[in-house]
Each structure stands twice: as C-alpha cells, then as structure tokens.
Amino acid sequence: MVENYFGEAYEKPMVALWVTLGVVLGVFLLVVVVLYNRFISRLNRLRNGFAAMDVQLKKRWDVVPQLVETVRGYASHERELFERVTKARRGIELAESAGPERFSHEQDLGAGVAKVMLLAEDYPELKAGEQFLNLQRNLSEVEAQIAAARRAFNAAVTDWNDGVEKFPGNLLAGIFGFRVHDWFETPEFQRKVTDIQL
C-alpha cells in the first residue's frame, strides 16, 4: 500500500484501473462527439442541397400555369394532360417538404411539362409565338438548373446515407434516430431513349 498526499492509503492497481477506465471513457465520448458532429454537418449539407433544389423547383412551379394556359389556347382537346399537370402541381403544394410524396409529384409535374412541350410541336403558330418561345427558354434554363441542383442534392444524400449505414456511424445513427434519406431521382420519362424516325 502507498499513502497519498493526504495520508490516506490506497493500492496502485486500483488507481491504474480507474485511470484506464477514465481514458477509455474519454476516448469513447470523444468518438461519439466527433461522429455526432459529422452527422450534423452532413445533415446541414443535405438541408442546404434540398433548399437549393427547392428554389429551382419553385421557379418551374411558377412557370407551369403560364405554359399550360398558353398551350391550352391551341390544344384545348388535351384537357386530361392539363388536369394531370394541375393535379401534380397541387400535390407538390400539399406534400411534405422533402418526402417521397413530394418527389413523386415533382416527377409527375416534370413529365407533364415535357408532354405539354411536345404537344406544342403539333402547333407551328404556337411554337413561333413570342410568349411561348420566352416560356420555353425560361423552362429550359430552369430544367438545367434543376438537374444541377438535383445532382448536388443527391451527392449530399449519398454522403448522409453512407454515414447512416456504415460502421460505426450506423450505431450512433440508430441511437439518435437518423434514417436513410431518399434520392430525388431522374423521372422515368427522362431515362427512356426516344427513337427518331427519319
């Protein structure tokens, strides 16, 4: 036995055990703090990516009514298509901010807008109109910005999902309730290759 500064007796092995436990606990807490902060950084990148994409989606959302009204004047018989676009637009408004339902409505809206643009091909006087050309230009720019924002958002989702699913982050993710996030995928109609007949 050894006496400490206050004259109390203690055993060296007991002190070594407490010091070792303290060091292990300190390292464990440090690892937890580092992993948690990494999750928060990833979550903020994910939120930022969605916010940037949401701005571009809102731009498209704002252009759609003008586009539909412009084309409707020439193709009033395409009522079902216009209703589908309007329904998708309304669904976006009512859906959860970054949930799968919102992404589904966004894809429906994108598909509907593409069909409206294709429909305009059948009406040369519509295609030549100044208002339609301006809307087409705006929509083309917005779609390019959406594609770029979607790539950035999906990169942030991939980083987030890697943290949630890989060890040891998956242990901490389960404790704090972090879940895998959905990608905003390219709509099915954009993935299909269209044959061009000559």
Side-chain angles (χ1 to χ4, degrees):
M1 276 207 273
V2 179
E3 290 186 11
N4 68 9
Y5 182 74
F6 299 107
E8 299 167 341
Y10 67 94
E11 293 184 26
K12 276 190 174 184
M14 199 61 172
V15 170
L17 176 66
W18 284 110
V19 168
T20 303
L21 285 175
V23 168
V24 167
L25 183 61
V27 168
F28 175 75
L29 289 175
L30 181 64
V31 168
V32 168
V33 167
V34 167
L35 286 174
Y36 182 80
N37 287 340
R38 198 173 290 163
F39 271 115
I40 297 303
S41 295
R42 287 174 171 158
L43 182 60
N44 288 335
R45 282 194 300 274
L46 183 67
R47 288 175 178 159
N48 183 43
F50 179 76
M53 185 175 63
D54 195 40
V55 167
Q56 302 309 321
L57 292 170
K58 176 81 169 90
K59 284 181 183 179
R60 177 175 68 185
W61 197 77
D62 289 341
V63 171
V64 167
Q66 297 169 0
L67 178 66
V68 167
E69 286 306 312
T70 301
V71 175
R72 184 180 292 178
Y74 290 87
S76 57
H77 60 281
E78 295 287 344
R79 199 179 70 147
E80 184 182 317
L81 173 61
F82 299 132
E83 286 174 359
R84 217 172 341 159
V85 169
T86 303
K87 182 181 175 186
R89 193 169 179 271
R90 197 172 306 121
I92 293 167
E93 191 175 18
L94 300 174
E96 180 185 324
S97 179
E101 184 182 359
R102 162 84 186 272
F103 292 161
S104 175
H105 288 301
E106 290 288 357
Q107 290 173 347
D108 291 346
L109 181 64
V113 167
K115 287 178 183 174
V116 169
M117 296 301 285
L118 285 173
L119 181 64
E121 296 289 323
D122 295 338
Y123 301 92
E125 64 276 3
L126 171 62
K127 282 179 32 176
E130 188 65 35
Q131 183 179 7
F132 180 77
L133 290 173
N134 187 34
L135 286 170
Q136 188 178 32
R137 221 178 357 263
N138 288 345
L139 197 56
S140 180
E141 289 173 15
V142 167
E143 290 297 336
Q145 292 168 348
I146 289 171
R150 181 175 41 238
R151 284 189 300 274
F153 173 73
N154 284 340
V157 168
T158 299
D159 188 39
W160 170 260
N161 289 348
D162 283 350
V164 169
E165 295 177 321
K166 288 182 179 179
F167 183 83
N170 61 347
L171 301 174
L172 192 63
I175 292 169
F176 287 104
F178 297 141
R179 303 281 177 250
V180 171
H181 200 285
D182 292 325
W183 285 274
F184 184 48
E185 299 185 54
T186 304
E188 191 66 33
F189 76 92
Q190 289 181 351
R191 288 189 219 155
K192 294 179 181 174
V193 177
T194 306
D195 292 333
I196 299 174
Q197 301 293 326
L198 297 176

